[in-house]
Amino acid sequence: MRHFQKEDIAADATPAPRQRLVVIGNGMSPGRALENLFETAPEAYKVTIFNAEPRVNYDRIMLSPLLSGEKTFEEIVIHGDGWYVKHGVTLYKGHKIVAIDREKRTVTSDHGVTEPYDKLIIATGSSPIVIPVPGHRLAGVLTYRDLDDVNAMILAAKSGGRAVVIGGGLLGLEAAVGLKEQGMEVSVVHLAPTLMERQLDAPSGFLLKTAIEARGIKVHTKANTKEILGTDHARGPSRARAVVLDDGAEILADLVVMAVGIRPSVALARDCGIAVNRGIVVGPDMRSSDPDIYALGECAEAQGQCFGLVAPLYEMANVVAANLRGDLDASFNPSATATKLKVTGINLFSAGDFEEGEGKQEIVLRDAARGVYRRLAIKDDRLIGVVLYGDVSHGAWLFDLLKRRVDIAELRETMMFGPEAAGGAPLDPTAAVAALPDDAEICGCNGVCKGKIAAAIKAKGLTNLDAVRAHTKASASCGSCTGLVEQVMRLTLGDKYAAAAVQPMCGCTTLGHDDVRRLIVAKQMKSIDATMQGLEWKTSCGCAKCRPALNYYLLASWPEDYEDDQQSRFINERVHANIQKDGTYSVVPRMWGGVTSANELRAIADVVDKFNIPSVKMTGGQRVDLLGVRKEQLPAVWADLNKAGLVSGAAYAKGLRTVKTCVGSDWCRFGTQDSTGLGVKLEKFLWGSWTPAKVKLAVSGCPRNCAEATCKDVGVICVDSGYDIVFAGAAGLDILGAQALCHADSEDETIEIVGALVQLYREQGRYLERIYKWAKRVGAPSIKAQVVEDREKRMALHERFLVSQKRAQVDPWAERVAGEQRHEFAPLADLTLVAAE
Amino acid sequence: MSQVWTDIGAMDAIPRRGARVLKTPHGCVAVFRTFDDRVFALEDRCPHKGGPLSQGIVHGASVTCPLHNWALSLETGEAQGADAGKARTFALQVVDGRIHIDLTALAAKAAA
């Protein structure tokens, strides 16, 4: 600060010149620190970044999905070039800093750029440890650390062949699975007797090994690498060809990946004389031994520890940012961190300490059949270690108990089974079920009431869920009532029954989505207040997670009675437009089946001119998006669009979005049916309905499928003999080809089946759960059974959909043009005129 | 600092568990009304990415920003949970069902 005292005094008259902040390294931690700083004190510093990697900041955690092909580089960029420009940051890409001069307060790059600083952040990260065995410098030997490594691995994998990954820790296993996905034959060589021994105990390490091997990856434990053999020099430059182990075993390898750990990169810091231990030593304020130099990220050592997981690194970043903007109280206090393996299909969770020790007690649960292993380490009535394998659903809850050092004496018996089973929670989840009368329906699919389940349990001595399913059929179809059936079992059996717990809807309740829905119906609760009261919500009026969900469940359960609660809807559904990053809205009128006319286009063009709408764009669903409309303009914009017959396209809704079509038999020489006409009919039938998440349809006129029906929530593909209906496709976060539902002979039959399908989804889907996720959860057979095979059930579903549509098919734009919800679109008061005096 | 109260409208003009915008020469202020008829005023800018807090869902004495779901306390303006940041708060009082806001706080904000 001493350099700026004069300026500080002068600042009363003119703004202080900005201090110069130089950052060495452009990884995730400095990225987060700068983001925080730009948000809280955007004018405080002029920032210059030196990045040894020739690129922008990207999400290193996503390297494994990148390797396995689940993501692309563009998807894992955190800050694109625009971000640096916007914040006036000078970014030197591909510049490695080679010297820090603390006297002159400058840094110098390998390209000869010298930059002065007032404050300096060293965020040089870490480098992968390379085991110095003979052959470690051969071509084809890589580490697994940055984008260049991943690119090299993907390239190597293209030619197939064999890969050996040295190191069976988190990174090594992710690399192994990724390379396997890329088509290589993969072996893992690991020094310790079990995999991930730093995070897992031996039994879960063994389960993990079994799961990895099940994917066709060979695992060698207690295996020490002695040498890497190269190809014969006579046949060109030598490349890796095999890994030799201590015991002489040779494993063939075209690619060797070393993933045995990281070492903080501290050379630069050591050279300029600041205190360095394993990492750069920092105090709680993240300053190094030079008060103007911060160390941040994997290169920093706080309280004798270095960190490699993102949570503590981001905490560090926030402390650095706070400190830079003058908040000197902020301090970094490392807390326990949790580990999860990012391998699809393998669930494991580990946190804290689980090694044997004095005064430690263990609770272990094993369920071999389900592949479940759980171990809790306890000391002095505090949870100090958690290992979950197979079912990790309680990880967050247990980790919270661990971090907060909660006294778990009371929870001890039950905590293994999750928060619901641990009776310490304020609501006894069985209370709501206990209060139900015997004739309350528990299983909707099979029409089983509470009394029947309880009677069967008593009469036949049933003690587990499968037996109850077999005897009563309750929970035997879609399974969404499982939680309730289990509660009936608990009520009937008392302590003899311990159920697997359900993920609560949100922090306001211990009940899961399915239970809440069923109780809404069973207890005839018809408002949000009544539901929260009846189900003993823990908060006064819910949260932003549960209120929209409850609003939907009530609307879907009581389509004729429930009054929609506007205040429980997300802004887009409240004002029937899509909020944009600058607080303006986008407006999308419906174009039935993607068909429009000169009149409609003229009306849209007139609206764009009249309201000076800055951007007009085609959407992916065959309609037009008007972007940058101010909220107060919305009713007037809608009024003009309404006049031309245009209504809301619900592009904002958890509801029907679009029905995309191709031109079909009207025009196309391949078209087999009138796909456009059917698309329009479907859209006119379905519009206005609210659903758990958005619903998109498409109708293609022939199997060439130009409307891309096979990646939609529901798709129809016209064929000569009629209509093939597919469902549960996805082309967003996940990409998934739709699966066949059935064949229909006529348009009417198609519409009936689609209506029934959408209604079943409306009744069973959890809020925000897309159709493909719902279908995966309940299983396609249970859906087909009700929508296709059982005509009576299909008709009933279709009928319920029609009932709900009666109140749903009202254009929300016209309602608001007529004055409804007027307060939404005008300010409470406008003081700009008052103050202009 | 002296306080100057300005009447900006009736409390009933704001829906319960809702908010409305107050336009001022120094930017927009979000005026909230909770389920139990308490009113609060926050700068209409989320400390995260500047989202309009007046458009968020109001629950208890908190609001969730519509852009990226940060939850902020209406009482202190501070981000809750794992997020860190603070929106400015302004003094309000309700007199005979009318909301009065302290304009000096707004002016001070502009000068800051």
Side-chain angles (χ1 to χ4, degrees), chain A residues 293-317:
Chain A
I293 302 183
Y294 298 83
L296 168 62
E298 289 175 331
C299 64
E301 177 180 323
Q303 296 183 18
Q305 289 182 75
C306 292
F307 299 84
L309 295 171
V310 71
L313 298 183
Y314 274 179
E315 275 173 43
M316 284 182 181

PDB file of all heavy atoms in Angstrom, chain A residues 293-317:
ATOM      1  N   ILE A 293       2.507 -10.507  -2.737  1.00  0.00           N
ATOM      2  CA  ILE A 293       2.415 -11.678  -3.618  1.00  0.00           C
ATOM      3  C   ILE A 293       1.517 -12.738  -2.978  1.00  0.00           C
ATOM      4  O   ILE A 293       1.746 -13.147  -1.838  1.00  0.00           O
ATOM      5  CB  ILE A 293       3.814 -12.273  -3.899  1.00  0.00           C
ATOM      6  CG1 ILE A 293       4.719 -11.203  -4.523  1.00  0.00           C
ATOM      7  CG2 ILE A 293       3.696 -13.497  -4.799  1.00  0.00           C
ATOM      8  CD1 ILE A 293       6.089 -11.691  -4.912  1.00  0.00           C
ATOM      9  N   TYR A 294       0.483 -13.117  -3.725  1.00  0.00           N
ATOM     10  CA  TYR A 294      -0.408 -14.185  -3.286  1.00  0.00           C
ATOM     11  C   TYR A 294      -0.029 -15.460  -4.015  1.00  0.00           C
ATOM     12  O   TYR A 294       0.431 -15.427  -5.153  1.00  0.00           O
ATOM     13  CB  TYR A 294      -1.861 -13.866  -3.648  1.00  0.00           C
ATOM     14  CG  TYR A 294      -2.396 -12.621  -2.990  1.00  0.00           C
ATOM     15  CD1 TYR A 294      -2.150 -11.361  -3.530  1.00  0.00           C
ATOM     16  CD2 TYR A 294      -3.167 -12.716  -1.842  1.00  0.00           C
ATOM     17  CE1 TYR A 294      -2.642 -10.223  -2.927  1.00  0.00           C
ATOM     18  CE2 TYR A 294      -3.680 -11.583  -1.224  1.00  0.00           C
ATOM     19  CZ  TYR A 294      -3.412 -10.333  -1.779  1.00  0.00           C
ATOM     20  OH  TYR A 294      -3.920  -9.221  -1.182  1.00  0.00           O
ATOM     21  N   ALA A 295      -0.234 -16.601  -3.351  1.00  0.00           N
ATOM     22  CA  ALA A 295      -0.139 -17.871  -4.073  1.00  0.00           C
ATOM     23  C   ALA A 295      -1.524 -18.500  -3.998  1.00  0.00           C
ATOM     24  O   ALA A 295      -2.207 -18.417  -2.985  1.00  0.00           O
ATOM     25  CB  ALA A 295       0.901 -18.780  -3.442  1.00  0.00           C
ATOM     26  N   LEU A 296      -1.933 -19.100  -5.110  1.00  0.00           N
ATOM     27  CA  LEU A 296      -3.319 -19.555  -5.211  1.00  0.00           C
ATOM     28  C   LEU A 296      -3.381 -20.839  -6.023  1.00  0.00           C
ATOM     29  O   LEU A 296      -2.708 -20.965  -7.046  1.00  0.00           O
ATOM     30  CB  LEU A 296      -4.147 -18.442  -5.896  1.00  0.00           C
ATOM     31  CG  LEU A 296      -5.548 -18.772  -6.375  1.00  0.00           C
ATOM     32  CD1 LEU A 296      -6.427 -19.181  -5.213  1.00  0.00           C
ATOM     33  CD2 LEU A 296      -6.147 -17.563  -7.083  1.00  0.00           C
ATOM     34  N   GLY A 297      -4.166 -21.783  -5.553  1.00  0.00           N
ATOM     35  CA  GLY A 297      -4.380 -23.006  -6.326  1.00  0.00           C
ATOM     36  C   GLY A 297      -3.496 -24.151  -5.865  1.00  0.00           C
ATOM     37  O   GLY A 297      -3.063 -24.193  -4.705  1.00  0.00           O
ATOM     38  N   GLU A 298      -3.212 -25.035  -6.764  1.00  0.00           N
ATOM     39  CA  GLU A 298      -2.482 -26.247  -6.404  1.00  0.00           C
ATOM     40  C   GLU A 298      -1.039 -25.973  -6.005  1.00  0.00           C
ATOM     41  O   GLU A 298      -0.388 -26.820  -5.413  1.00  0.00           O
ATOM     42  CB  GLU A 298      -2.505 -27.239  -7.587  1.00  0.00           C
ATOM     43  CG  GLU A 298      -3.867 -27.838  -7.813  1.00  0.00           C
ATOM     44  CD  GLU A 298      -3.918 -28.733  -9.052  1.00  0.00           C
ATOM     45  OE1 GLU A 298      -3.148 -28.486 -10.000  1.00  0.00           O
ATOM     46  OE2 GLU A 298      -4.730 -29.659  -9.067  1.00  0.00           O
ATOM     47  N   CYS A 299      -0.526 -24.786  -6.330  1.00  0.00           N
ATOM     48  CA  CYS A 299       0.864 -24.487  -5.969  1.00  0.00           C
ATOM     49  C   CYS A 299       0.972 -23.960  -4.541  1.00  0.00           C
ATOM     50  O   CYS A 299       2.056 -23.814  -4.010  1.00  0.00           O
ATOM     51  CB  CYS A 299       1.473 -23.484  -6.951  1.00  0.00           C
ATOM     52  SG  CYS A 299       0.670 -21.876  -6.929  1.00  0.00           S
ATOM     53  N   ALA A 300      -0.177 -23.651  -3.920  1.00  0.00           N
ATOM     54  CA  ALA A 300      -0.131 -23.023  -2.597  1.00  0.00           C
ATOM     55  C   ALA A 300      -0.172 -24.080  -1.495  1.00  0.00           C
ATOM     56  O   ALA A 300      -0.764 -25.142  -1.656  1.00  0.00           O
ATOM     57  CB  ALA A 300      -1.307 -22.074  -2.438  1.00  0.00           C
ATOM     58  N   GLU A 301       0.462 -23.775  -0.382  1.00  0.00           N
ATOM     59  CA  GLU A 301       0.428 -24.665   0.773  1.00  0.00           C
ATOM     60  C   GLU A 301      -0.101 -23.873   1.962  1.00  0.00           C
ATOM     61  O   GLU A 301       0.515 -22.905   2.395  1.00  0.00           O
ATOM     62  CB  GLU A 301       1.833 -25.207   1.066  1.00  0.00           C
ATOM     63  CG  GLU A 301       1.890 -26.081   2.297  1.00  0.00           C
ATOM     64  CD  GLU A 301       3.298 -26.627   2.583  1.00  0.00           C
ATOM     65  OE1 GLU A 301       4.023 -26.954   1.620  1.00  0.00           O
ATOM     66  OE2 GLU A 301       3.658 -26.702   3.762  1.00  0.00           O
ATOM     67  N   ALA A 302      -1.269 -24.275   2.445  1.00  0.00           N
ATOM     68  CA  ALA A 302      -1.887 -23.573   3.573  1.00  0.00           C
ATOM     69  C   ALA A 302      -1.990 -24.538   4.740  1.00  0.00           C
ATOM     70  O   ALA A 302      -2.412 -25.676   4.568  1.00  0.00           O
ATOM     71  CB  ALA A 302      -3.273 -23.069   3.183  1.00  0.00           C
ATOM     72  N   GLN A 303      -1.604 -24.096   5.909  1.00  0.00           N
ATOM     73  CA  GLN A 303      -1.608 -24.937   7.108  1.00  0.00           C
ATOM     74  C   GLN A 303      -0.945 -26.291   6.846  1.00  0.00           C
ATOM     75  O   GLN A 303      -1.450 -27.330   7.258  1.00  0.00           O
ATOM     76  CB  GLN A 303      -3.036 -25.144   7.603  1.00  0.00           C
ATOM     77  CG  GLN A 303      -3.683 -23.836   8.040  1.00  0.00           C
ATOM     78  CD  GLN A 303      -5.073 -24.051   8.602  1.00  0.00           C
ATOM     79  OE1 GLN A 303      -5.441 -25.162   8.968  1.00  0.00           O
ATOM     80  NE2 GLN A 303      -5.845 -22.981   8.683  1.00  0.00           N
ATOM     81  N   GLY A 304       0.140 -26.251   6.117  1.00  0.00           N
ATOM     82  CA  GLY A 304       0.895 -27.468   5.887  1.00  0.00           C
ATOM     83  C   GLY A 304       0.282 -28.417   4.867  1.00  0.00           C
ATOM     84  O   GLY A 304       0.757 -29.531   4.686  1.00  0.00           O
ATOM     85  N   GLN A 305      -0.799 -27.995   4.207  1.00  0.00           N
ATOM     86  CA  GLN A 305      -1.441 -28.882   3.233  1.00  0.00           C
ATOM     87  C   GLN A 305      -1.444 -28.259   1.849  1.00  0.00           C
ATOM     88  O   GLN A 305      -1.620 -27.053   1.715  1.00  0.00           O
ATOM     89  CB  GLN A 305      -2.918 -29.080   3.590  1.00  0.00           C
ATOM     90  CG  GLN A 305      -3.210 -29.912   4.799  1.00  0.00           C
ATOM     91  CD  GLN A 305      -4.732 -30.042   4.959  1.00  0.00           C
ATOM     92  OE1 GLN A 305      -5.400 -30.769   4.250  1.00  0.00           O
ATOM     93  NE2 GLN A 305      -5.278 -29.293   5.896  1.00  0.00           N
ATOM     94  N   CYS A 306      -1.306 -29.110   0.831  1.00  0.00           N
ATOM     95  CA  CYS A 306      -1.560 -28.675  -0.536  1.00  0.00           C
ATOM     96  C   CYS A 306      -2.892 -29.276  -0.964  1.00  0.00           C
ATOM     97  O   CYS A 306      -3.319 -30.290  -0.415  1.00  0.00           O
ATOM     98  CB  CYS A 306      -0.453 -29.149  -1.470  1.00  0.00           C
ATOM     99  SG  CYS A 306       1.114 -28.319  -1.134  1.00  0.00           S
ATOM    100  N   PHE A 307      -3.550 -28.639  -1.935  1.00  0.00           N
ATOM    101  CA  PHE A 307      -4.895 -29.064  -2.301  1.00  0.00           C
ATOM    102  C   PHE A 307      -5.004 -29.331  -3.793  1.00  0.00           C
ATOM    103  O   PHE A 307      -4.359 -28.660  -4.594  1.00  0.00           O
ATOM    104  CB  PHE A 307      -5.916 -27.994  -1.900  1.00  0.00           C
ATOM    105  CG  PHE A 307      -5.921 -27.741  -0.421  1.00  0.00           C
ATOM    106  CD1 PHE A 307      -5.003 -26.869   0.158  1.00  0.00           C
ATOM    107  CD2 PHE A 307      -6.809 -28.410   0.390  1.00  0.00           C
ATOM    108  CE1 PHE A 307      -4.978 -26.667   1.513  1.00  0.00           C
ATOM    109  CE2 PHE A 307      -6.797 -28.213   1.761  1.00  0.00           C
ATOM    110  CZ  PHE A 307      -5.880 -27.332   2.325  1.00  0.00           C
ATOM    111  N   GLY A 308      -5.821 -30.306  -4.136  1.00  0.00           N
ATOM    112  CA  GLY A 308      -5.970 -30.643  -5.548  1.00  0.00           C
ATOM    113  C   GLY A 308      -7.420 -30.693  -6.002  1.00  0.00           C
ATOM    114  O   GLY A 308      -7.698 -30.791  -7.178  1.00  0.00           O
ATOM    115  N   LEU A 309      -8.360 -30.627  -5.053  1.00  0.00           N
ATOM    116  CA  LEU A 309      -9.768 -30.691  -5.430  1.00  0.00           C
ATOM    117  C   LEU A 309     -10.327 -29.279  -5.562  1.00  0.00           C
ATOM    118  O   LEU A 309      -9.841 -28.344  -4.947  1.00  0.00           O
ATOM    119  CB  LEU A 309     -10.578 -31.463  -4.384  1.00  0.00           C
ATOM    120  CG  LEU A 309     -10.195 -32.945  -4.278  1.00  0.00           C
ATOM    121  CD1 LEU A 309     -10.874 -33.591  -3.091  1.00  0.00           C
ATOM    122  CD2 LEU A 309     -10.554 -33.677  -5.561  1.00  0.00           C
ATOM    123  N   VAL A 310     -11.349 -29.158  -6.374  1.00  0.00           N
ATOM    124  CA  VAL A 310     -11.774 -27.830  -6.769  1.00  0.00           C
ATOM    125  C   VAL A 310     -12.415 -27.031  -5.628  1.00  0.00           C
ATOM    126  O   VAL A 310     -12.243 -25.819  -5.547  1.00  0.00           O
ATOM    127  CB  VAL A 310     -12.705 -27.910  -7.997  1.00  0.00           C
ATOM    128  CG1 VAL A 310     -14.051 -28.497  -7.631  1.00  0.00           C
ATOM    129  CG2 VAL A 310     -12.865 -26.556  -8.643  1.00  0.00           C
ATOM    130  N   ALA A 311     -13.108 -27.699  -4.723  1.00  0.00           N
ATOM    131  CA  ALA A 311     -13.829 -26.944  -3.686  1.00  0.00           C
ATOM    132  C   ALA A 311     -12.896 -26.075  -2.836  1.00  0.00           C
ATOM    133  O   ALA A 311     -13.099 -24.867  -2.725  1.00  0.00           O
ATOM    134  CB  ALA A 311     -14.672 -27.876  -2.824  1.00  0.00           C
ATOM    135  N   PRO A 312     -11.846 -26.647  -2.245  1.00  0.00           N
ATOM    136  CA  PRO A 312     -10.953 -25.794  -1.462  1.00  0.00           C
ATOM    137  C   PRO A 312     -10.217 -24.768  -2.333  1.00  0.00           C
ATOM    138  O   PRO A 312      -9.946 -23.649  -1.871  1.00  0.00           O
ATOM    139  CB  PRO A 312      -9.971 -26.776  -0.826  1.00  0.00           C
ATOM    140  CG  PRO A 312     -10.087 -28.034  -1.606  1.00  0.00           C
ATOM    141  CD  PRO A 312     -11.474 -28.071  -2.144  1.00  0.00           C
ATOM    142  N   LEU A 313      -9.943 -25.111  -3.590  1.00  0.00           N
ATOM    143  CA  LEU A 313      -9.220 -24.161  -4.446  1.00  0.00           C
ATOM    144  C   LEU A 313     -10.101 -22.937  -4.726  1.00  0.00           C
ATOM    145  O   LEU A 313      -9.625 -21.801  -4.746  1.00  0.00           O
ATOM    146  CB  LEU A 313      -8.792 -24.830  -5.752  1.00  0.00           C
ATOM    147  CG  LEU A 313      -7.826 -26.011  -5.564  1.00  0.00           C
ATOM    148  CD1 LEU A 313      -7.398 -26.557  -6.916  1.00  0.00           C
ATOM    149  CD2 LEU A 313      -6.588 -25.599  -4.768  1.00  0.00           C
ATOM    150  N   TYR A 314     -11.388 -23.182  -4.928  1.00  0.00           N
ATOM    151  CA  TYR A 314     -12.300 -22.063  -5.142  1.00  0.00           C
ATOM    152  C   TYR A 314     -12.459 -21.235  -3.859  1.00  0.00           C
ATOM    153  O   TYR A 314     -12.615 -20.029  -3.900  1.00  0.00           O
ATOM    154  CB  TYR A 314     -13.654 -22.573  -5.626  1.00  0.00           C
ATOM    155  CG  TYR A 314     -13.719 -22.764  -7.132  1.00  0.00           C
ATOM    156  CD1 TYR A 314     -14.868 -23.245  -7.740  1.00  0.00           C
ATOM    157  CD2 TYR A 314     -12.632 -22.457  -7.948  1.00  0.00           C
ATOM    158  CE1 TYR A 314     -14.942 -23.416  -9.119  1.00  0.00           C
ATOM    159  CE2 TYR A 314     -12.700 -22.619  -9.323  1.00  0.00           C
ATOM    160  CZ  TYR A 314     -13.851 -23.104  -9.909  1.00  0.00           C
ATOM    161  OH  TYR A 314     -13.925 -23.264 -11.263  1.00  0.00           O
ATOM    162  N   GLU A 315     -12.403 -21.909  -2.720  1.00  0.00           N
ATOM    163  CA  GLU A 315     -12.450 -21.153  -1.459  1.00  0.00           C
ATOM    164  C   GLU A 315     -11.238 -20.225  -1.371  1.00  0.00           C
ATOM    165  O   GLU A 315     -11.352 -19.066  -0.993  1.00  0.00           O
ATOM    166  CB  GLU A 315     -12.442 -22.103  -0.258  1.00  0.00           C
ATOM    167  CG  GLU A 315     -13.811 -22.627   0.110  1.00  0.00           C
ATOM    168  CD  GLU A 315     -13.725 -23.705   1.190  1.00  0.00           C
ATOM    169  OE1 GLU A 315     -12.957 -23.529   2.158  1.00  0.00           O
ATOM    170  OE2 GLU A 315     -14.416 -24.734   1.043  1.00  0.00           O
ATOM    171  N   MET A 316     -10.080 -20.765  -1.721  1.00  0.00           N
ATOM    172  CA  MET A 316      -8.864 -19.939  -1.737  1.00  0.00           C
ATOM    173  C   MET A 316      -9.070 -18.729  -2.646  1.00  0.00           C
ATOM    174  O   MET A 316      -8.719 -17.605  -2.291  1.00  0.00           O
ATOM    175  CB  MET A 316      -7.689 -20.722  -2.336  1.00  0.00           C
ATOM    176  CG  MET A 316      -7.066 -21.748  -1.467  1.00  0.00           C
ATOM    177  SD  MET A 316      -5.671 -22.445  -2.440  1.00  0.00           S
ATOM    178  CE  MET A 316      -5.089 -23.657  -1.283  1.00  0.00           C
ATOM    179  N   ALA A 317      -9.629 -18.980  -3.830  1.00  0.00           N
ATOM    180  CA  ALA A 317      -9.796 -17.923  -4.821  1.00  0.00           C
ATOM    181  C   ALA A 317     -10.657 -16.798  -4.258  1.00  0.00           C
ATOM    182  O   ALA A 317     -10.356 -15.614  -4.432  1.00  0.00           O
ATOM    183  CB  ALA A 317     -10.425 -18.499  -6.095  1.00  0.00           C
TER     184      ALA A 317
END
